[in-house]
Amino acid sequence: RTSDNGWAHVICALYIPEVSFGNDATMEPIILSKIPSTRYGQKCSICIKKGRSKSEAMQGACCACTMKNCSEVFHVTCAQQAGLLYEDVRKNNCQY
């Protein structure tokens, strides 16, 4: 659950840098209040490539690719399904 009694994917909370947990051990509540509003107006490039509607592509918050010179944005869950997420354990940090 989120801090405002909604729901969020834990995987999204782990990969979106502005998201935090009220309690790290239980991973709840998920605190979304620091996500910039601009993330919610973006179109997921993976949704678009898969032929999903514009409204589906704009649901939820998107993240930008961390590869140098890449401007693609996408949903964390779409990136997960496409095999595009990884965790750099040396830096204790999630990347996409």
Side-chain angles (χ1 to χ4, degrees):
R1 292 204 57 93
T2 63
S3 57
D4 61 358
N5 277 336
W7 292 97
H9 299 115
V10 172
I11 190 78
C12 294
L14 291 170
Y15 278 84
I16 296 175
E18 299 89 356
V19 175
S20 61
F21 297 103
N23 181 319
D24 288 336
T26 62
M27 294 184 163
E28 60 183 359
I30 298 171
I31 302 168
L32 307 174
S33 59
K34 293 184 182 173
I35 297 176
S37 59
T38 55
R39 285 195 191 272
Y40 292 101
Q42 297 173 317
K43 285 185 257 180
C44 172
S45 60
I46 297 171
C47 283
I48 298 298
K49 287 175 186 167
K50 291 193 174 224
R52 295 185 183 126
S53 70
K54 181 180 175 182
S55 63
E56 286 178 297
M58 292 180 71
Q59 285 184 351
C62 285
C63 290
C65 181
T66 59
M67 292 293 294
K68 189 175 184 173
N69 299 321
C70 182
S71 60
E72 297 286 322
V73 296
F74 41 79
H75 298 121
V76 172
T77 52
C78 292
Q80 179 186 35
Q81 290 172 354
L84 300 173
L85 301 181
Y86 76 92
E87 185 175 349
D88 186 342
V89 293
R90 294 168 298 154
K91 295 180 182 176
N92 193 24
N93 140 13
C94 299
Q95 298 288 315
Y96 33 84

